[in-house]
């Protein structure tokens, strides 16, 4: 059975990919994670984070490096999140990402358990 949930990049960053994936597989029985690669501002409580109790994301930014060739000469440009620029979340996923990207940063990440 295919079981999935949505998560934020900052949840994975704080816990680490290994601990995050182990908890989702072992505790929740999930096989897939949907990563929110663009998000609005807000106050997000972090009950499992060892680093912070809440996260305040930048409004309307993306948590991936946009392919510049897709956005050349466009009026709207996707603003890259300043936390992402300092420590790219993509490094967390490079070992587990499938090759099914759509060019806009959407990728599918699956656990090894199916």
């Amino acid at each position: 059975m295919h079981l999935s949930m949505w998560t934020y990049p900052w949840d994975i960053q704080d816990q680490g990919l290994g601990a995050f994936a182990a908890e989702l597989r072992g505790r929740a029985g999930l096989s897939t994670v949907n990563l929110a690669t663009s998000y609005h501002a807000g106050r997000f409580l972090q009950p499992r984070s060892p680093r912070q109790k809440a996260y305040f994301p930048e409004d309307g930014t993306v948590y991936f490096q946009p392919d510049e060739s897709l956005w050349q000469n466009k009026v709207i440009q996707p603003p890259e999140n300043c936390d992402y620029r300092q420590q790219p979340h993509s490094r967390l996923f490079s070992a587990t990402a499938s090759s099914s990207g759509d060019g806009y940063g959407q990728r599918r990440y699956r656990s090894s358990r199916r």
Side-chain angles (χ1 to χ4, degrees), residues 43-55:
R43 179 180 182 200
F44 296 86
L45 300 179
Q46 305 264 214
R48 291 183 173 83
S49 172
R51 296 182 346 154
Q52 57 193 358
K53 297 196 182 297
Y55 181 77

Side-chain angles (χ1 to χ4, degrees), residues 56-82:
F56 300 87
E58 233 181 312
D59 194 19
T61 60
V62 296
Y63 293 86
F64 61 92
Q65 186 173 8
D67 182 343
E68 292 179 19
S69 68
L70 295 172
W71 299 97
Q72 286 180 352
N73 304 317
K74 302 289 193 274
V75 175
I76 297 175
Q77 298 286 318
E80 200 172 324
N81 181 275
C82 69

Side-chain angles (χ1 to χ4, degrees), residues 86-97:
Q86 292 170 9
Q87 187 173 23
H89 295 87
S90 63
R91 292 182 201 153
L92 296 172
F93 310 113
S94 61
T96 57

